Amino acid sequence: MLVHLFMGVGEDYSVCTGTMANSERTFIVIKPDGLQRSLVGEIIKRFEQKGFRFIAMKLIQASEDLLKEHYIDLKDRPFFAGLVKYMQSGPVVVMVWEDLNVVKTGRVMLGETNPPDSKLGTIRGDFCIQVGRNIIHGKDSVESAEKEIGLWLQPEELVYYKSCAQSWIYE
Ligand code: DAT
Ligand code: MG
């Protein structure tokens, strides 16, 4: 069959291969409004279609303690309490995507923090209106992404596997 020709007959795509060379990981959260507005599939679709590798996902009702730690850098901002309450107002979907430049590209795909500043075609530009309901979180540096992955996920929740599309995405 054609599909076997492309995949390589007998290759085991469940094998754990570890992190690819030159790749990095980003941490994404679909916030409670993104989930309630049924945008989970749309957001996953955008990351999948770009070609990024999906290595973890979890649906979770986050605790106040976890969210306060997650947003610790913003603890002195006037909107901090409201932000934690909003993030606790329903379940969230946390995800990890891995690939070349996924942190920077992921932020471009999200759009700006304030939705009116976000270009159409970005997630925030297309699907939301106010900063306090901006549907998605994504890290802006490799270091902070790694820190949040460690905060939200156990190492065994990250799943590595060989992608049969890799040689069609990278030259
Ligand atoms: P980002 O989520 O784009 O990384 P951030 O880290 O500066 O933005 O802030 C985290 C979240 O806090 C942001 O997604 C929405 C909320 N927030 C930021 N600025 C705000 C403001 N001026 N008023 C209300 N909420 C705000
Ligand atoms: Mg931020």
Side-chain angles (χ1 to χ4, degrees):
M1 280 167 54
L2 199 55
V3 66
H4 278 149
L5 264 181
F6 287 131
M7 288 175 65
V9 178
E11 283 198 53
D12 182 356
Y13 287 95
S14 67
V15 169
C16 172
T17 57
T19 303
M20 282 191 315
N22 296 324
S23 75
E24 59 191 35
R25 306 187 295 189
T26 197
F27 183 70
I28 299 290
V29 183
I30 302 174
K31 298 180 177 181
D33 45 346
L35 184 136
Q36 293 290 346
R37 294 179 53 205
S38 305
L39 292 170
V40 174
E42 171 66 33
I43 290 168
I44 291 174
K45 187 190 81 174
R46 290 181 178 216
F47 280 82
E48 271 191 319
Q49 286 186 336
K50 181 72 180 167
F52 293 139
R53 186 151 61 147
F54 201 4
I55 61 168
M57 178 166 75
K58 183 160 76 174
L59 176 66
I60 176 176
Q61 174 64 54
S63 69
E64 186 177 343
D65 285 351
L66 175 59
L67 291 166
K68 283 183 169 167
E69 184 62 31
H70 174 78
Y71 281 125
I72 189 102
D73 294 346
L74 300 173
K75 68 178 186 332
D76 297 325
R77 305 295 293 274
F79 56 83
F80 180 71
L83 176 62
V84 170
K85 193 169 169 216
Y86 152 56
M87 291 295 287
Q88 255 203 301
S89 64
V92 297
V93 176
V94 303
M95 303 186 285
V96 181
W97 293 85
E98 181 191 272
D99 251 308
L100 186 65
N101 296 323
V102 70
V103 170
K104 182 179 175 195
T105 308
R107 284 290 290 199
V108 172
M109 289 166 64
L110 259 61
E112 300 300 319
T113 304
N114 196 21
D117 299 333
S118 299
K119 289 195 170 66
L120 294 178
T122 66
I123 293 167
R124 287 169 172 166
D126 285 351
F127 300 120
C128 52
I129 293 171
Q130 282 197 304
V131 67
R133 295 289 182 273
N134 65 1
I135 75 167
I136 187 163
H137 164 85
K139 286 322 295 182
D140 51 7
S141 77
V142 173
E143 296 70 31
S144 60
E146 289 300 320
K147 192 172 152 207
E148 290 185 4
I149 290 167
L151 182 66
W152 288 79
L153 293 160
Q154 301 299 318
E156 61 271 20
E157 291 178 299
L158 302 168
V159 182
Y160 293 94
Y161 52 92
K162 189 171 168 185
S163 163
C164 63
Q166 197 173 321
S167 60
W168 299 105
I169 295 170
Y170 290 95
E171 55 185 336

